[in-house]
Amino acid sequence: MSVKTALRVIEIIETYAREKRALPLSELARLLDVPVSSCLALIRTLTGLGYLYETGRRQGYYPTGRLLAMAQRIARADPVLDRVYPSLVELRDATRETVVFAKLTQDGRVVYLDVLDSPHTIRYAPVAGEFKDVHANSLGKALMSLMDEPARDALLAATPLTRYNDRTLVTREAVLQDIDRSRQRGWFMNSGESIPDVGAIAWPVTLSGEHYAISVGGPIYRIEPCQEEYARILRAACTGLEQQS
């Protein structure tokens, strides 16, 4: 029950992030697909702790600034992001494209640890905390390149190689060949393999013995003509971070 309750709290936060408005109890319960009574208990608890407030009688509830303040305090103390953030900013400013910092989860997915948005109006706009499949993601390929052969084979054998479109690599052999080619040329590429018209290049980085990867992503029409230039800047950033660790 405690795990289910924790999940509901996260779902409430994500619902407000998505809806961006005050929500009456009945509507929040509907969006969460839970009984009104269960939702009311959670709302009362979060309100009592100062994370939600009632915007007006019968107008609904909305998060207070306490949630943001807590998140900012946690983010400022992150031992890894504190080290890499200045380099991510420099990389974003140099390329003017979206920069993502990621690593592999224990179940073999890519998790985005931090995202710095491109200043362009048309841009790739993921969010921190997203999970991606390794075979159709530049970061996933970069991270797999650091694994020994048995570990990489085990990961691909346990991972459904979902076909997102005609560009997706859906066989073990195709993924491994792409990783080998990418290592030789100096960057790992996702050219619309998961999201049409979105491209990204990535490179791995090892910090204090842990493997991470950084990518530069955006519309394919902007990324592909600049692959070599962005790859050079990206590799330099990763090398600099490794030298600091």
Side-chain angles (χ1 to χ4, degrees):
M1 181 61 70
S2 59
V3 173
K4 188 175 182 179
T5 300
L7 178 60
R8 291 299 185 204
V9 172
I10 298 300
E11 288 175 342
I12 288 173
I13 294 170
E14 292 180 343
T15 297
Y16 277 111
R18 183 177 63 251
E19 296 296 322
K20 301 181 181 68
R21 58 189 174 91
L23 295 169
L25 174 62
S26 58
E27 186 174 4
L28 182 58
R30 178 181 61 80
L31 291 170
L32 295 172
D33 193 25
V34 299
V36 171
S37 58
S38 299
C39 189
L40 176 60
L42 287 170
I43 291 299
R44 283 177 172 171
T45 299
L46 291 172
T47 301
L49 292 172
Y51 288 97
L52 296 179
Y53 76 103
E54 193 170 9
T55 58
R57 186 170 178 80
R58 300 185 184 280
Q59 292 181 7
Y61 297 85
Y62 199 75
T64 69
R66 183 178 177 84
L67 183 61
L68 175 61
M70 288 294 183
Q72 289 174 332
R73 288 170 62 183
I74 293 170
R76 283 196 296 267
D78 188 301
V80 176
L81 293 183
D82 183 58
R83 292 165 55 192
V84 304
Y85 186 75
S87 296
L88 299 181
V89 171
E90 290 180 6
L91 187 57
R92 190 271 313 277
D93 292 346
T95 62
R96 293 180 59 79
E97 298 293 355
T98 297
V99 171
V100 179
F101 181 62
K103 73 175 305 184
L104 285 180
T105 63
Q106 290 187 343
D107 63 356
R109 294 180 296 169
V110 178
V111 59
Y112 290 179
L113 303 178
D114 201 7
V115 175
L116 278 67
D117 286 333
S118 163
H120 291 290
T121 301
I122 299 175
R123 62 181 184 271
Y124 175 44
V127 296
E130 279 191 34
F131 295 98
K132 298 293 183 180
D133 291 337
V134 290
H135 72 291
N137 184 274
S138 63
L139 292 155
K141 297 173 189 176
L143 288 162
M144 281 194 288
S145 75
L146 297 178
M147 303 171 71
D148 59 39
E149 187 174 344
R152 190 163 54 233
D153 286 345
L155 173 59
L156 290 174
T159 302
L161 302 183
T162 303
R163 182 184 295 278
Y164 293 99
N165 55 53
D166 291 341
R167 294 190 174 194
T168 309
L169 305 178
V170 293
T171 67
R172 170 186 173 278
E173 292 73 20
V175 173
L176 293 179
Q177 287 175 8
D178 188 59
I179 290 174
D180 287 339
R181 286 194 301 269
S182 299
R183 187 188 293 111
Q184 293 172 13
R185 74 185 172 200
W187 70 86
F188 296 85
M189 183 72 184
N190 174 4
S191 183
E193 296 163 37
S194 52
I195 304 174
D197 302 323
V198 173
I201 63 168
W203 196 249
V205 57
T206 301
L207 305 173
S208 302
E210 290 291 319
H211 298 324
Y212 302 88
I214 302 173
S215 72
V216 176
I220 288 178
Y221 70 84
R222 287 205 308 259
I223 295 296
E224 288 194 339
C226 301
Q227 290 175 96
E228 293 190 25
E229 177 189 358
Y230 289 173
R232 176 182 55 80
I233 298 171
L234 178 56
R235 289 194 305 269
C238 291
T239 300
L241 285 168
E242 289 180 335
Q243 291 173 344
Q244 295 171 20
S245 64

